[in-house]
Amino acid sequence: MSITTLPKENQQKLTKQDFISDQMVKWCPGCGDYVALSAMQRALADLGINQENIIFVSGIGCSSRFPYYMNTYGFHSIHGRAPNFASGMKLANPDNHIWLVMGDGDAFSIGVNHLIHFLRRNWNVNLLILNNQIYGLTKGQYSPTSEKGKISKSTPRGSLEVPLNPANLALGAKVSFYARGTDKDILGMKELFLSAQAHKGTSLVEIYQNCNVFNDKAFASYTDRDTKKNTTITLRENAPLIYGEKEDLGIVLNNLKLESIKLTSEEDKKKLLVHRSRTNDDLMFFLYGQMTDDPTLPTPLGIFKQGEREVFEEQLLNRKRKDLTEEEFCEILRGKNSWEI
């Protein structure tokens, strides 16, 4: 994995401790947010970016306390609208390094319209979504990513809704970078954050995060030592899609559908798909997103896509400005598309 950092002459020698604020962390003991916070502090220390050039922006939810615990600039905004604030900050000063932190309810429910347009514009901003498949701050209602049949305080007989697929939503919004990790893998999470920071354009990192109070063990099959090798597959650049406790299972493409096969010979290995994330072809991104909903396939972790696309704030700032004359302005106001009633 190639990580882009600041030139040596511009780097500071920072440690994780430099990014720990003086605020008491008020998440529940055992919450997966602690691991994400620690991974972020380690990643930013490695990058050597001046703390005054980093901003954390959040909406509402347990995860949205993130800015308080980072010794950087921070802005705790309103429910679902954090992408709007981050957009304005990036446009006002494109040199700022902005991390937008949201939860699954914040991002995919009240904020989903803002999120979609934020992704399709491709701001050069990093987005961290901590997905615990539940509303934790408001004490246990089902969320847009909760599984069908979820019994919660707001669905005592079980949810009737099919869960939203974050990867496929991001695909529809033409996100240029998408990755997924778990809160049990702090080193893997740190690498995802470093890659997201290195990417030019909007990077979305989804973390499967355990809420041990209201949705405990929601991702246990993906994180438990006894099961994770058979239920997940780590996407490695230019490597075949192999998984399993004995690495004897693999993924092939059959009539535009992914299938899992047993690897019994060298010929079987030659059939395997090879992961390549550095592309703007979204077919595999779509199929990776579908894997999560298919019980016959493992759930992918790692970087799904890191393509190239024009950055929105650069397009705005590079556009030649043309001030309208009073006559041209009046023509717009009184032109063919206006009338009196």
Side-chain angles (χ1 to χ4, degrees):
M1 183 180 297
S2 176
I3 303 299
T4 301
T5 59
L6 292 177
K8 291 288 185 182
E9 61 271 17
N10 294 334
Q11 285 189 25
Q12 294 190 85
K13 290 184 178 180
L14 299 172
T15 67
K16 174 188 173 184
Q17 193 66 34
D18 291 312
F19 288 93
I20 298 176
S21 77
D22 61 358
Q23 299 297 300
M24 179 185 298
V25 181
K26 295 183 179 179
W27 288 319
C28 301
C31 174
D33 286 347
Y34 284 95
V35 188
L37 176 65
S38 180
M40 181 64 72
Q41 291 164 337
R42 294 184 185 195
L44 293 182
D46 282 1
L47 289 171
I49 300 173
N50 296 343
Q51 290 145 289
E52 62 268 23
N53 294 329
I54 302 173
I55 306 173
F56 277 81
V57 186
S58 66
I60 296 297
C62 295
S63 61
S64 296
R65 298 193 61 81
F66 219 93
Y68 292 96
Y69 310 140
M70 295 296 303
N71 188 27
T72 64
Y73 282 110
F75 195 98
H76 191 175
S77 70
I78 52 182
H79 206 185
R81 275 70 177 183
N84 305 12
F85 289 87
S87 300
M89 292 175 187
K90 191 64 179 179
L91 186 57
N93 188 349
D95 292 333
N96 284 329
H97 299 271
I98 298 179
W99 278 89
L100 177 57
V101 185
M102 305 180 78
D104 49 298
D106 187 34
F108 300 130
S109 185
I110 193 170
V112 69
N113 55 332
H114 302 293
L115 176 66
I116 289 171
H117 299 301
F118 182 84
L119 297 180
R120 72 182 181 87
R121 288 175 179 136
N122 200 38
W123 296 93
N124 191 19
V125 172
N126 310 299
L127 172 58
L128 169 59
I129 295 184
L130 295 162
N131 179 8
N132 56 20
Q133 297 185 340
I134 202 75
Y135 278 98
L137 185 68
T138 51
K139 308 299 184 281
Q141 299 85 358
Y142 84 118
S143 87
T145 56
S146 296
E147 71 276 13
K148 186 175 182 179
K150 179 68 179 179
I151 295 176
S152 71
K153 292 179 179 178
S154 54
T155 53
R157 296 185 180 180
S159 168
L160 299 175
E161 300 172 17
V162 174
L164 179 145
N165 186 314
N168 286 162
L169 175 84
L171 166 65
K174 308 300 281 186
V175 72
S176 57
F177 178 105
Y178 190 93
R180 180 191 289 153
T182 72
D183 63 1
K184 295 292 185 180
D185 181 11
I186 188 170
L187 295 180
M189 205 187 313
K190 174 187 169 184
E191 288 301 307
L192 294 182
F193 294 161
L194 289 171
S195 295
Q197 179 69 47
H199 176 72
K200 188 173 182 179
T202 302
S203 60
L204 193 162
V205 181
E206 178 193 10
I207 297 298
Y208 284 159
Q209 175 252 319
N210 190 50
C211 176
N212 57 314
V213 176
F214 296 108
N215 202 24
D216 194 24
K217 298 182 178 179
F219 304 109
S221 65
Y222 302 150
T223 58
D224 284 357
R225 184 177 301 177
D226 295 336
T227 58
K228 66 181 182 181
K229 290 184 178 179
N230 291 320
T231 58
T232 65
I233 184 168
T234 301
L235 303 175
R236 296 183 174 89
E237 195 69 16
N238 298 319
L241 299 185
I242 295 175
Y243 72 105
E245 191 171 359
K246 299 179 180 179
E247 295 193 342
D248 58 348
L249 299 170
I251 303 297
V252 298
L253 183 63
N254 184 10
N255 293 325
L256 293 181
K257 188 178 187 305
L258 297 183
E259 294 180 356
S260 176
I261 64 169
K262 186 84 171 178
L263 302 177
T264 59
S265 66
E266 288 301 315
E267 287 301 311
D268 287 337
K269 292 182 180 180
K270 292 178 181 178
K271 301 175 186 176
L272 295 177
L273 281 170
V274 174
H275 176 58
R276 293 185 174 90
S277 66
R278 298 183 183 278
T279 175
N280 288 324
D281 183 348
D282 285 334
L283 174 60
M284 287 308 303
F285 183 14
F286 170 73
L287 294 174
Y288 290 147
Q290 293 294 297
M291 288 176 73
T292 309
D293 297 330
D294 189 337
T296 68
L297 297 174
T299 287
L301 302 174
I303 300 174
F304 291 34
K305 173 189 175 179
Q306 43 188 337
E308 294 182 2
R309 198 152 62 80
E310 288 184 291
V311 173
F312 190 67
E313 65 269 23
E314 288 185 2
Q315 295 180 72
L316 284 175
L317 294 171
N318 291 336
R319 174 179 286 175
K320 291 183 179 179
R321 179 175 174 176
K322 180 181 181 298
D323 292 328
L324 295 176
T325 65
E326 183 177 350
E327 182 179 350
E328 289 171 327
F329 185 68
C330 290
E331 177 60 28
I332 291 173
L333 292 181
R334 300 166 185 164
K336 295 179 180 179
N337 293 323
S338 63
W339 61 92
E340 293 183 6
I341 56 173

